[in-house]
Amino acid sequence: MRSLIDILDLSTAEIEELTVMAEDIIARPDAYAHRMAGKKLATLFFEPSTRTRMSFEAAMYDLGGNVISMASAGSSSAAKGESVADTVKTVSCYADIIAMRHPKEGAALVAAKNAGVPVINAGDGGHCHPTQTLADLLTIKREKGRFSNLVVGLCGDLKFGRTVHSLIQALARYEGVKFVLISPEELKVPSYVKRDVLARRGIPYEQTTDLLGVLPDLDILYMTRVQRERFFNEEDYLRLKDRYILTPEKLKAAREDLSIMHPLPRVNEISVAIDADPRACYFKQVKNGKFMRMALILKLMEEAGK
Ligand code: NCD
């Protein structure tokens, strides 16, 4: 049974296929409006979410399918001590496909091994978030027209930010991509990502604490929030949370064709005054996320013979 746990579970050809399908869904929504009729998606979110859960649900409805979901982790049997394995075995009896978010790294893999239906990782702790990357990739394709030859700045909490880890893995497969990793010392990209992805593939990257110094070089600036829920103490969070705040003043140093991205939710790291700037892409990412999730659901369901 094919699941999506990690973005590298998809080949570059399959990513291309999904972006092409998502663009076709955007162009011809009616052609897809009944494709999942009679099918059910279950959303299991053991951590807070607005966009990811709702976009999965909207995606399934826009394909003519139905959705069942857990009201919250606290009101599910997880609160009684049920394991992820038992929960997904149960949910597989009701649903044709599962989208799951969990605070523990590796939980989605455990779910996929135990479910009788495809499982989509909607975020596992500070590890990865492949469907946000699909949203990011469609946005990059539509904004830049390519995945290759890009200077990509990633800024903020690069240690705990799972969207960053998945996006690096995805973009590292294309020619001529250079990463500029902008973070406080304490929140640098984990060494396993640098070693297993960047160094192994010989991808050029630079680490810095200075956003303004590198801003003029960037094609893409991907901002992230400091992940409060993954900190061991509140003091460190408070010290680091407002280290990078993108303002119109700072943006004067940036290129005219910069794309400003953010997986959202935003806390303080992008001034709302930037929302009206044509370079701001974060609400486009939200829209694109639903279409990529539609394409992904169709692909996994087709492969599962459903
Ligand atoms: C991200 C996440 O959950 O990792 N949110 C999202 O799904 N768009 C980013 C975040 O929470 O900071």
Side-chain angles (χ1 to χ4, degrees):
M1 183 68 57
R2 180 109 189 253
S3 287
L4 178 68
I5 304 307
D6 199 289
I7 194 67
L8 296 181
D9 294 341
L10 295 168
S11 66
T12 52
E14 286 175 318
I15 286 188
E16 179 65 19
E17 176 200 326
L18 289 174
T19 56
V20 168
M21 198 195 305
E23 292 198 298
D24 193 49
I25 295 170
I26 293 170
R28 304 185 304 128
D30 292 351
Y32 295 86
H34 307 287
R35 295 276 295 272
M36 285 291 113
K39 304 295 179 203
K40 284 199 272 319
L41 164 80
T43 51
L44 298 183
F45 278 66
F46 296 90
E47 267 195 343
S49 170
T50 300
R51 275 152 293 273
T52 306
R53 186 171 66 81
M54 294 184 81
S55 71
F56 268 113
E57 297 185 355
M60 193 60 172
Y61 283 123
D62 287 353
L63 292 168
N66 291 301
V67 176
I68 53 175
S69 63
M70 215 168 69
S72 70
S75 65
S76 76
S77 286
K80 300 180 187 172
E82 187 171 55
S83 66
V84 165
D86 285 359
T87 301
V88 297
K89 277 183 190 158
T90 302
V91 174
S92 303
C93 299
Y94 312 136
D96 301 287
I97 185 164
I98 296 172
M100 186 180 98
R101 169 172 289 184
H102 198 280
K104 286 212 178 103
E105 290 78 10
L109 185 60
V110 171
K113 288 197 165 138
N114 287 280
V117 300
V119 172
I120 302 173
N121 181 8
D124 62 327
H127 183 220
C128 60
H129 191 350
T131 65
Q132 178 63 45
T133 299
L134 293 178
D136 300 341
L137 291 174
L138 182 59
T139 307
I140 293 171
K141 186 179 180 199
R142 288 169 78 85
E143 295 300 310
K144 295 278 178 255
R146 66 185 194 278
F147 297 134
S148 49
N149 300 316
L150 291 169
V151 180
V152 182
L154 299 154
C155 177
D157 186 346
L158 309 186
K159 178 179 182 188
F160 296 117
R162 56 193 171 195
T163 67
V164 166
H165 308 156
S166 292
L167 186 58
I168 290 176
Q169 284 185 315
L171 287 176
R173 294 197 289 198
Y174 299 95
E175 285 291 304
V177 171
K178 180 187 170 192
F179 293 101
V180 183
L181 308 173
I182 310 146
S183 74
E185 280 297 322
E186 298 89 329
L187 299 177
K188 283 166 139 174
V189 169
S191 45
Y192 80 87
V193 176
K194 283 184 273 196
R195 187 188 57 230
D196 299 346
V197 184
L198 298 174
R200 180 167 297 169
R201 290 177 175 270
I203 311 290
Y205 70 94
E206 166 188 347
Q207 295 191 102
T208 177
T209 54
D210 176 20
L211 171 60
L212 263 191
V214 294
L215 198 49
D217 305 332
L218 306 179
D219 294 304
I220 292 171
L221 173 59
Y222 192 96
M223 296 293 293
T224 60
R225 110 190 131 87
V226 175
Q227 306 276 301
R228 180 182 207 159
E229 65 276 34
R230 314 222 188 274
F231 273 68
F232 294 110
N233 70 70
E234 184 74 0
E235 245 168 69
D236 286 346
Y237 169 72
L238 293 173
R239 185 166 53 80
L240 296 168
K241 74 183 177 77
D242 291 329
R243 183 69 65 87
Y244 300 104
I245 300 180
L246 193 63
T247 59
E249 187 57 33
K250 289 184 189 149
L251 259 192
K252 285 183 185 153
R255 303 232 309 250
E256 277 305 307
D257 64 350
L258 174 71
S259 297
I260 305 164
M261 300 178 66
H262 191 307
L264 302 179
R266 151 174 66 186
V267 184
N268 280 330
E269 52 288 340
I270 301 181
S271 151
V272 290
I274 289 178
D275 297 1
D277 190 300
R279 292 172 286 188
C281 297
Y282 25 97
F283 289 106
K284 293 182 187 168
Q285 284 167 266
V286 177
K287 278 199 178 154
N288 291 335
K290 185 191 75 170
F291 297 113
M292 284 302 262
R293 290 181 175 106
M294 289 172 78
L296 177 66
I297 290 170
L298 283 172
K299 178 175 172 61
L300 293 179
M301 290 287 278
E302 191 178 314
E303 288 187 22
K306 297 210 180 220

